[in-house]
Amino acid sequence: GETKRPNKRLSDRRLRQVFQYIEDNLAGDISLNDLATVVGLSVSHFKVLFREAVGVSPHHYLIRQRVERAKNLLAESKLTISHIATETGFAHRSHLARHMHRVLGVSPKALREMLRETR
């Protein structure tokens, strides 16, 4: 039968499920609980295994993905920065700006200008 020893790592399949879930729901609210549920783990267990597998906390990874998508939208779309913030799951333009600055070291406005110059 099932041994009670918890799985010591996230399988690639489970990790892909988590990444896919994040990808599909990036514009909405994603809680740690949602992510843990995707792979059928408790939140505390999920956090530990995710960090081991990916090297950063789930929250940190999520922010990075949101900033990355925002960066692509800044480059490719005519959407306003406020609209891009909502599209990528940030509450406000300032929220996006803060995280983008932390992750990429630039503001959305500056990034958009840089990206447009390279075209």
Side-chain angles (χ1 to χ4, degrees):
E2 277 288 295
T3 51
K4 279 286 166 239
R5 210 178 58 104
N7 191 346
K8 284 283 177 264
R9 54 180 287 277
L10 273 178
S11 67
D12 293 342
R13 189 175 62 84
R14 279 170 142 193
L15 210 48
R16 274 199 305 276
Q17 288 175 314
V18 173
F19 291 160
Q20 191 58 55
Y21 182 88
I22 289 174
E23 195 62 31
D24 294 343
N25 296 282
L26 210 50
D29 270 336
I30 300 176
S31 71
L32 265 177
N33 196 38
D34 295 335
L35 297 178
T37 304
V38 170
V39 290
L41 295 168
S42 70
V43 168
S44 55
H45 195 171
F46 171 72
K47 272 163 73 169
V48 171
L49 293 185
F50 186 93
R51 185 184 275 281
E52 278 171 10
V54 184
V56 294
S57 70
H59 180 74
H60 194 96
Y61 177 83
L62 183 56
I63 295 291
R64 249 183 14 202
Q65 293 309 107
R66 292 193 151 143
V67 166
E68 204 47 49
R69 182 172 295 177
K71 182 179 147 184
N72 295 336
L73 287 173
L74 284 168
E76 292 156 16
S77 77
K78 299 273 180 275
L79 296 174
T80 65
I81 293 171
S82 297
H83 194 130
I84 289 174
T86 6
E87 283 288 297
T88 51
F90 291 107
H92 311 284
R93 180 187 170 143
S94 60
H95 195 192
L96 165 62
R98 190 168 74 239
H99 285 294
M100 183 168 273
H101 207 274
R102 197 178 294 157
V103 176
L104 300 176
V106 289
S107 73
K109 196 167 174 306
L111 183 65
R112 174 166 260 174
E113 280 158 16
M114 276 161 39
L115 293 166
R116 292 210 165 138
E117 279 161 19
T118 57
R119 303 233 141 196

